[in-house]
Amino acid sequence: MTATEAATARVAPGAPGLHEAAQSHNPADKTTTVSPPPLRTAVALQVAAALIWLPQAALIAFAIGGIADGAPASAALLPAALILALGILRAALDRTGTRLAFASARTQLSRLRDRATEAVASRSPLDASRPSSGLVASTLAEQAEAIVPYLARFRPLRMKATIVPLVLLAAIAPLSWAAALVLLMAAPVIPVFMALIGWQAKAASERQLVEMSDMNAFLLDRLRGLATIRAFDAVDRTARQLYANAERLRVSTMVVLRIAFLSSAVLELFAALGVALVAVYVGFHYLGELNFGAWGAKLTLTQGLFILLLAPAFFEPLRDLSSVWHDRAAGEAGLDALARLADGGTRLVGALEAPAPSPSATPFSVATDTLSFHYGAPSHPVLDRLDLSIRPGEHVALMAHSGGGKSTLLALLAGLAPATAGTIRLGGTPLTPATAATLRAHIAWLGQPPHIFSGTLAGNIRLGRPGIGTPQLSRALATVQLEDVAARRGSAPIGESGAGLSGGEALRLALARAAAGPRPALILADEPTAHLDRETANDVIERLLAVASGTTLIVATHDPVLAARLDRIVTLPAIEVQP
């Protein structure tokens, strides 16, 4: 757009599957969505590293057993060298797999954040269900970070806990079915308890994220209203509310930590019992008290050592998984939060389309044919079968009672939301998802109130448009008569929402955005003189008409003085609400 407001920020073209990502909202879909090939490779490397302990344990048992049978100490040199070589290989594989897992998880998180950001940026300002800025900031900056440990640590360790114990069990069973049976009986108890605790952990993590989001939204709202809080002497009350929010967040965080410690304690207990039972069996077997479990034979020292070395390794993947079990709960809660940002809501028309390159457009004609729109129930329409025709270059005032649909009509003409029924034509071109981005590139929008970003005066006029240089800035400032303000402020920053500027100066700054770029084909202004004194309002009217000279202008207003200065007044019909 010529004067881009925050509400009409366009999403980058070619964005990867936003709608597909939003639909992947159940756990099964997330499993496929967040398992790219690099992550699968990382899991394979970490599993291979864990399985290298199998030949290492065999070499250790073989060397000790040989020495016990009378072999010289030098016979252990070759096994020791092989054990060292395998240890180096194991460390290299584990390090490579860990690094690859974190890199892949970070890349995947960036993609998910991009999709969620695109979805939020494409939400219509008419959408009453839009998430608050505090919730969006909390989800993207804090909650989303929990996804990285979930992808990089929990998922690889879950695969290790599935494969490694089975392989070790298969190596122990041919030597002693009794030892294998002990391990087999101890192992299933651990996942069952972890699953039961995990359900509670996920629920607690979700409650913690809700508390964190509420606190962030509270802080953002209060920071914006600091002047009002001081004016009404509500500083102490606000501090008490903040303390109460922080206390609720502390309590929810401690609940999550307690559950995490409980899951680790349960696993350590059963793992220790399993290893102890295997050691007891092997010891009493050597003492001749337990003459069973070795397939009718007696375990040799080498075989017994091999079993004892593998027993702790059998539980190690499960112990590692327990240590990051809370990452699963927090990670899935973060994925759900990002999915909610990317899912549902009313979108800008053609939000994901790139504008087609086109020369400066001539003034648009505007026509609507049986245009209808409703927010909730169809029986309560805001606009009902509206027919409107505006000539190119005409200046029109839209008037109606408060809530009569003036601002809604402007938003529909800008493609900020899809119409419920009917068609819109701008310059003879139907406003559709395929054409909306190109048409919006020739529309200037003056919102109520116009959003002023924290930054310099020049930065607020450019709004990131590289084609606007110093000559264009000077011309725009002269058109809206802001040269004195620019000279006085210099490079001093403007506060968020125009802090440091008067209401009239903020409106003229918004008009300068339209005047700085190529001449727009259509200017849409929503109540530009509302809440201004008569002198300031008259000045804004003059500047608005100067910027709109030679182009189509549609103004939603209650101001009869402004309406009288335009070519025509269109009064929107009152809508009879169906019972």
Side-chain angles (χ1 to χ4, degrees), residues 181-198:
L181 184 61
V182 169
L183 297 176
L184 190 60
M185 292 177 64
V189 179
I190 297 171
V192 169
F193 275 92
M194 288 175 64
L196 293 175
I197 295 171

Side-chain angles (χ1 to χ4, degrees), residues 378-394:
S379 59
H380 295 74
V382 180
L383 299 171
D384 187 23
R385 297 186 296 277
L386 176 67
D387 294 323
L388 179 66
S389 179
I390 298 175
R391 298 184 304 274
E394 191 175 13

Side-chain angles (χ1 to χ4, degrees), residues 398-429:
L398 297 177
M399 301 193 76
H401 61 85
S402 295
K406 304 184 301 299
S407 299
T408 300
L409 178 56
L410 291 185
L412 294 177
L413 294 178
L416 302 186
T420 304
T423 59
I424 299 172
R425 292 186 301 279
L426 302 179
T429 302

Side-chain angles (χ1 to χ4, degrees), residues 80-138:
L82 293 175
I83 291 169
L84 177 61
L86 289 172
I88 294 173
L89 176 61
R90 181 181 182 182
L93 289 177
D94 189 64
R95 180 177 182 274
T96 303
T98 301
R99 290 172 62 89
L100 187 59
F102 271 95
S104 176
R106 180 58 63 181
T107 300
Q108 188 69 7
L109 174 59
S110 297
R111 291 172 182 169
L112 293 172
R113 271 179 169 155
D114 288 345
R115 290 171 180 171
T117 303
E118 290 161 4
V120 171
S122 65
R123 292 285 282 271
S124 168
L126 300 186
D127 185 2
S129 65
R130 280 188 306 162
S132 67
S133 54
L135 174 61
V136 172
S138 173

Side-chain angles (χ1 to χ4, degrees), residues 273-289:
L273 288 176
V275 173
L277 287 174
V278 171
V280 168
Y281 164 74
V282 172
F284 278 94
H285 181 82
Y286 283 143
L287 293 174
E289 298 295 331

